[in-house]
PDB file of all heavy atoms in Angstrom:
ATOM      1  N   ILE A1022      90.649 102.290  99.965  1.00 87.00           N
ATOM      2  CA  ILE A1022      90.049 102.663  98.686  1.00 87.00           C
ATOM      3  C   ILE A1022      90.741 103.885  98.102  1.00 87.00           C
ATOM      4  O   ILE A1022      90.924 103.991  96.882  1.00 87.00           O
ATOM      5  CB  ILE A1022      88.516 102.882  98.806  1.00 87.00           C
ATOM      6  CG1 ILE A1022      87.870 103.032  97.433  1.00 87.00           C
ATOM      7  CG2 ILE A1022      88.205 104.105  99.648  1.00 87.00           C
ATOM      8  CD1 ILE A1022      87.871 101.781  96.627  1.00 87.00           C
ATOM      9  N   PHE A1023      91.185 104.813  98.954  1.00 86.00           N
ATOM     10  CA  PHE A1023      91.884 105.983  98.460  1.00 86.00           C
ATOM     11  C   PHE A1023      93.273 105.617  97.931  1.00 86.00           C
ATOM     12  O   PHE A1023      93.737 106.205  96.958  1.00 86.00           O
ATOM     13  CB  PHE A1023      92.000 107.047  99.565  1.00 86.00           C
ATOM     14  CG  PHE A1023      90.667 107.522 100.041  1.00 86.00           C
ATOM     15  CD1 PHE A1023      90.255 107.281 101.338  1.00 86.00           C
ATOM     16  CD2 PHE A1023      89.818 108.213  99.207  1.00 86.00           C
ATOM     17  CE1 PHE A1023      89.030 107.724 101.777  1.00 86.00           C
ATOM     18  CE2 PHE A1023      88.581 108.647  99.626  1.00 86.00           C
ATOM     19  CZ  PHE A1023      88.188 108.399 100.926  1.00 86.00           C
ATOM     20  N   LEU A1024      93.905 104.626  98.536  1.00 87.00           N
ATOM     21  CA  LEU A1024      95.182 104.135  98.015  1.00 87.00           C
ATOM     22  C   LEU A1024      94.988 103.445  96.674  1.00 87.00           C
ATOM     23  O   LEU A1024      95.809 103.591  95.765  1.00 87.00           O
ATOM     24  CB  LEU A1024      95.827 103.185  99.018  1.00 87.00           C
ATOM     25  CG  LEU A1024      96.221 103.796 100.355  1.00 87.00           C
ATOM     26  CD1 LEU A1024      96.743 102.717 101.288  1.00 87.00           C
ATOM     27  CD2 LEU A1024      97.236 104.889 100.161  1.00 87.00           C
ATOM     28  N   TYR A1025      93.905 102.698  96.536  1.00 90.00           N
ATOM     29  CA  TYR A1025      93.606 102.047  95.261  1.00 90.00           C
ATOM     30  C   TYR A1025      93.334 103.080  94.171  1.00 90.00           C
ATOM     31  O   TYR A1025      93.725 102.888  93.014  1.00 90.00           O
ATOM     32  CB  TYR A1025      92.420 101.101  95.388  1.00 90.00           C
ATOM     33  CG  TYR A1025      92.686  99.883  96.244  1.00 90.00           C
ATOM     34  CD1 TYR A1025      91.659  99.270  96.936  1.00 90.00           C
ATOM     35  CD2 TYR A1025      93.960  99.344  96.370  1.00 90.00           C
ATOM     36  CE1 TYR A1025      91.879  98.145  97.718  1.00 90.00           C
ATOM     37  CE2 TYR A1025      94.200  98.237  97.148  1.00 90.00           C
ATOM     38  CZ  TYR A1025      93.151  97.638  97.824  1.00 90.00           C
ATOM     39  OH  TYR A1025      93.386  96.525  98.586  1.00 90.00           O
ATOM     40  N   ILE A1026      92.637 104.157  94.513  1.00 88.00           N
ATOM     41  CA  ILE A1026      92.390 105.221  93.547  1.00 88.00           C
ATOM     42  C   ILE A1026      93.703 105.846  93.109  1.00 88.00           C
ATOM     43  O   ILE A1026      93.951 106.048  91.909  1.00 88.00           O
ATOM     44  CB  ILE A1026      91.449 106.297  94.142  1.00 88.00           C
ATOM     45  CG1 ILE A1026      90.035 105.757  94.297  1.00 88.00           C
ATOM     46  CG2 ILE A1026      91.434 107.548  93.261  1.00 88.00           C
ATOM     47  CD1 ILE A1026      89.109 106.678  95.064  1.00 88.00           C
ATOM     48  N   CYS A1027      94.574 106.113  94.062  1.00 89.00           N
ATOM     49  CA  CYS A1027      95.894 106.710  93.766  1.00 89.00           C
ATOM     50  C   CYS A1027      96.716 105.793  92.867  1.00 89.00           C
ATOM     51  O   CYS A1027      97.257 106.248  91.852  1.00 89.00           O
ATOM     52  CB  CYS A1027      96.608 107.003  95.080  1.00 89.00           C
ATOM     53  SG  CYS A1027      98.210 107.759  94.897  1.00 89.00           S
ATOM     54  N   LEU A1028      96.814 104.532  93.206  1.00 91.00           N
ATOM     55  CA  LEU A1028      97.598 103.597  92.398  1.00 91.00           C
ATOM     56  C   LEU A1028      96.962 103.352  91.038  1.00 91.00           C
ATOM     57  O   LEU A1028      97.655 103.200  90.032  1.00 91.00           O
ATOM     58  CB  LEU A1028      97.764 102.278  93.146  1.00 91.00           C
ATOM     59  CG  LEU A1028      98.690 102.333  94.369  1.00 91.00           C
ATOM     60  CD1 LEU A1028      98.683 100.997  95.089  1.00 91.00           C
ATOM     61  CD2 LEU A1028     100.081 102.729  93.963  1.00 91.00           C
ATOM     62  N   GLY A1029      95.629 103.315  90.988  1.00 91.00           N
ATOM     63  CA  GLY A1029      94.940 103.129  89.717  1.00 91.00           C
ATOM     64  C   GLY A1029      95.171 104.276  88.757  1.00 91.00           C
ATOM     65  O   GLY A1029      95.441 104.074  87.568  1.00 91.00           O
ATOM     66  N   ILE A1030      95.076 105.501  89.271  1.00 90.00           N
ATOM     67  CA  ILE A1030      95.331 106.681  88.430  1.00 90.00           C
ATOM     68  C   ILE A1030      96.777 106.675  87.953  1.00 90.00           C
ATOM     69  O   ILE A1030      97.072 106.970  86.791  1.00 90.00           O
ATOM     70  CB  ILE A1030      95.008 107.979  89.212  1.00 90.00           C
ATOM     71  CG1 ILE A1030      93.503 108.082  89.480  1.00 90.00           C
ATOM     72  CG2 ILE A1030      95.528 109.209  88.482  1.00 90.00           C
ATOM     73  CD1 ILE A1030      92.668 108.355  88.265  1.00 90.00           C
ATOM     74  N   ALA A1031      97.702 106.335  88.856  1.00 90.00           N
ATOM     75  CA  ALA A1031      99.124 106.311  88.477  1.00 90.00           C
ATOM     76  C   ALA A1031      99.388 105.279  87.399  1.00 90.00           C
ATOM     77  O   ALA A1031     100.034 105.586  86.382  1.00 90.00           O
ATOM     78  CB  ALA A1031      99.991 106.042  89.710  1.00 90.00           C
ATOM     79  N   LEU A1032      98.898 104.059  87.574  1.00 92.00           N
ATOM     80  CA  LEU A1032      99.126 103.006  86.585  1.00 92.00           C
ATOM     81  C   LEU A1032      98.448 103.322  85.254  1.00 92.00           C
ATOM     82  O   LEU A1032      99.030 103.092  84.185  1.00 92.00           O
ATOM     83  CB  LEU A1032      98.649 101.667  87.127  1.00 92.00           C
ATOM     84  CG  LEU A1032      99.458 101.076  88.264  1.00 92.00           C
ATOM     85  CD1 LEU A1032      98.803  99.803  88.791  1.00 92.00           C
ATOM     86  CD2 LEU A1032     100.876 100.775  87.806  1.00 92.00           C
ATOM     87  N   LEU A1033      97.229 103.830  85.329  1.00 90.00           N
ATOM     88  CA  LEU A1033      96.505 104.149  84.106  1.00 90.00           C
ATOM     89  C   LEU A1033      97.183 105.297  83.338  1.00 90.00           C
ATOM     90  O   LEU A1033      97.314 105.229  82.111  1.00 90.00           O
ATOM     91  CB  LEU A1033      95.057 104.526  84.433  1.00 90.00           C
ATOM     92  CG  LEU A1033      94.123 104.749  83.260  1.00 90.00           C
ATOM     93  CD1 LEU A1033      93.940 103.435  82.496  1.00 90.00           C
ATOM     94  CD2 LEU A1033      92.794 105.259  83.729  1.00 90.00           C
TER      95      LEU A1033
END
Side-chain angles (χ1 to χ4, degrees):
I1022 190 69
F1023 298 115
L1024 296 175
Y1025 292 151
I1026 290 171
C1027 181
L1028 290 175
I1030 293 290
L1032 290 175
L1033 186 65

